[in-house]
Amino acid sequence: DAGVIQSPRHEVTEMGQEVTLRCKPISGHDYLFWYRQTMMRGLELLIYFNNNVPIDDSGMPEDRFSAKMPNASFSTLKIQPSEPRDSAVYFCASSLAGLAETQYFGPGTRLLVL
Amino acid sequence: QQQVKQSPQSLIVQKGGISIINCAYENTAFDYFPWYQQFPGKGPALLIAIRPDVSEKKEGRFTISFNKSAKQFSLHIMDSQPGDSATYFCAASNAGGTSYGKLTFGQGTILTVHP
């Protein structure tokens, strides 16, 4: 299996622009997680889905952030409008039902908002 | 109560030495405690995990020690190698609760093993 696939790997944008991060989970996995990693705050869970349905979005920092999972093989995390403080590495992870705590992480998207 | 506190923030060990990273938690409902390893430019990867019904789990050079009464668990890396240099995260989850699958991560420990 190819593992969790994320795109783009790097994104540089200007403040106020819309940013869309993409994730393809491992085939057959039922859970999908979006994390944000910064030096100051460490690894934070933003939102997670089970069978394409959002289960917990309490980590989404504010209304500028939104996430969707239209089908089992694709999810997006959108930031609109972006701000410099959104600069971070964003990870997507997936896992199987029954072993949901065993999460497989993608390589991440490094976002820089100028 | 959802926090997992990890120490130290950074650790330098000589090749062949023992690396020890500690974590403490407050939520007594946590029942799964994994450790993740992250190399620069990569996503975290599961290294080893333990459930509270045992006090120790060993996989190769990596051992988790778990103290339920103290609400603490630690990762020991025996015979540390330069290739072990990475950031290590402890985590915890409550498999039986409404947050099934949700991991709470510690702040991470940057381990450097000198040759």
Side-chain angles (χ1 to χ4, degrees):
Chain A
D1 201 318
V4 175
I5 298 172
Q6 291 188 246
S7 65
R9 293 294 312 274
H10 302 274
E11 178 82 24
V12 180
T13 190
E14 293 190 345
M15 182 174 64
Q17 297 298 306
E18 177 179 295
V19 175
T20 300
L21 311 180
R22 297 173 176 80
C23 175
K24 177 178 170 56
I26 293 173
S27 178
H29 281 193
D30 310 274
Y31 284 78
L32 184 138
F33 305 82
W34 282 101
Y35 290 90
R36 177 172 67 177
Q37 185 175 35
T38 61
M39 287 297 293
M40 288 297 295
R41 300 176 67 89
L43 201 56
E44 302 175 276
L45 176 65
L46 301 177
I47 184 171
Y48 74 102
F49 296 82
N50 177 215
N51 291 324
N52 314 335
V53 176
I55 301 300
D56 185 343
D57 65 354
S58 59
M60 296 286 262
E62 46 197 279
D63 291 346
R64 297 184 298 105
F65 286 69
S66 63
K68 295 182 180 180
M69 192 165 186
N71 57 62
S73 59
F74 183 67
S75 177
T76 60
L77 177 67
K78 186 174 293 186
I79 308 172
Q80 166 63 16
S82 58
E83 297 182 3
R85 61 193 166 121
D86 302 330
S87 298
V89 181
Y90 291 81
F91 289 103
C92 174
S94 69
S95 64
L96 281 167
L99 282 172
E101 311 103 327
T102 303
Q103 298 177 16
Y104 296 83
F105 283 73
T109 295
R110 185 173 295 274
L111 173 65
L112 178 61
V113 183
L114 301 174
Chain B
Q1 197 178 21
Q2 288 296 321
Q3 282 186 330
V4 176
K5 296 182 180 180
Q6 184 172 344
S7 63
Q9 283 188 312
S10 62
L11 179 62
I12 299 174
V13 175
Q14 291 297 122
K15 179 182 176 180
I18 302 173
S19 304
I20 301 174
I21 305 171
N22 301 298
C23 285
Y25 62 98
E26 290 293 326
N27 187 350
T28 55
F30 285 149
D31 57 7
Y32 178 75
F33 303 89
W35 285 88
Y36 280 75
Q37 179 188 53
Q38 183 180 28
F39 292 105
K42 306 289 187 183
L46 179 65
L47 183 63
I48 186 173
I50 197 169
R51 296 196 185 273
D53 52 343
V54 296
S55 60
E56 186 174 282
K57 182 173 182 180
K58 184 176 181 179
E59 290 183 1
R61 297 184 294 108
F62 300 90
T63 300
I64 299 179
S65 296
F66 183 78
N67 186 330
K68 188 173 182 178
S69 61
K71 293 184 285 186
Q72 295 176 348
F73 58 110
S74 60
L75 176 69
H76 292 65
I77 306 174
M78 310 299 288
D79 187 26
S80 300
Q81 299 297 312
D84 297 331
S85 298
T87 300
Y88 292 81
F89 294 93
C90 63
S93 74
N94 173 15
T98 56
S99 299
Y100 174 67
K102 182 176 181 178
L103 288 173
T104 300
F105 283 89
Q107 284 295 97
T109 297
I110 301 172
L111 171 65
T112 302
V113 182
H114 284 156

